[in-house]
């Protein structure tokens, strides 16, 4: 697991970064810091969005501790077709083949991608990978949007 993360001081964490909150890779949405209190040190309250389930995750950590940041990679792949149940047929970067293991979870996105392909437009899908998993994030063509941004 150590190779999938990097370590930073919790005080260096910023909104928009990715962080492991309760062992889930999340995009940080909000950060609030409390001051030293009578019964302990300062704490950092973090709210993030799990990049795989799109559910909000909250965590409270001491400001003196380090944070684990998941190494999140983004890859844009060309869409060839939208298959059953929202899965997409994607052309590999090196054009050596295709893959059909990524699912567009948002029905509206799947419909828009299908319409754009039917109109002869090229569509790119952004796939996020972290902690050994991959997930659909967004698409690009005439209109683009991110699943993480839409659900904030």
């Amino acid at each position: 697991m150590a190779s999938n993360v990097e370590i930073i001081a919790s005080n260096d964490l910023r909104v928009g970064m990715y962080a492991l909150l309760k062992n889930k890779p999340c995009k940080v949405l909000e950060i609030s810091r409390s001051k030293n209190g009578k019964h302990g040190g300062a704490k950092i309250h973090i709210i993030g969005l799990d990049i795989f389930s799109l559910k909000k995750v909250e965590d409270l950590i001491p400001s003196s501790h380090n944070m684990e940041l998941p190494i999140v990679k983004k890859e844009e792949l060309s869409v060839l077709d939208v298959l059953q149940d929202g899965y997409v047929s994607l052309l590999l970067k090196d054009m050596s083949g295709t893959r059909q293991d990524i699912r567009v979870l948002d029905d509206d996105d799947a419909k828009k991608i299908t319409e754009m392909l039917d109109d002869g437009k090229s569509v790119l899908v952004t796939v996020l990978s972290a902690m050994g998993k991959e997930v659909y994030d967004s698409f690009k063509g005439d209109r683009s949007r991110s699943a993480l941004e839409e659900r904030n």
Side-chain angles (χ1 to χ4, degrees), residues 85-116:
D85 297 330
Y87 285 91
V88 287
S89 178
L90 302 171
L91 181 64
L92 298 177
K93 278 274 191 197
D94 63 4
M95 297 187 179
S96 65
T98 61
R99 60 185 285 193
Q100 291 88 25
D101 59 338
I102 299 296
R103 185 170 180 219
V104 177
L105 297 174
D106 187 319
D107 289 337
D108 288 340
D109 281 5
K111 286 177 189 172
K112 289 175 186 172
I113 292 169
T114 301
E115 288 170 8
M116 291 170 73

Side-chain angles (χ1 to χ4, degrees), residues 1-2 5-8 18-21 23 66-70:
M1 187 169 187
V5 298
E6 57 184 80
I7 307 294
I8 67 163
Y18 294 100
L20 278 184
L21 303 179
N23 286 326
N66 289 332
M67 288 286 307
E68 288 184 326
L69 304 183

Side-chain angles (χ1 to χ4, degrees), residues 6-22:
E6 57 184 80
I7 307 294
I8 67 163
S10 59
N11 279 326
D12 293 336
L13 188 66
R14 301 288 177 254
V15 171
M17 295 174 76
Y18 294 100
L20 278 184
L21 303 179
K22 298 189 177 177

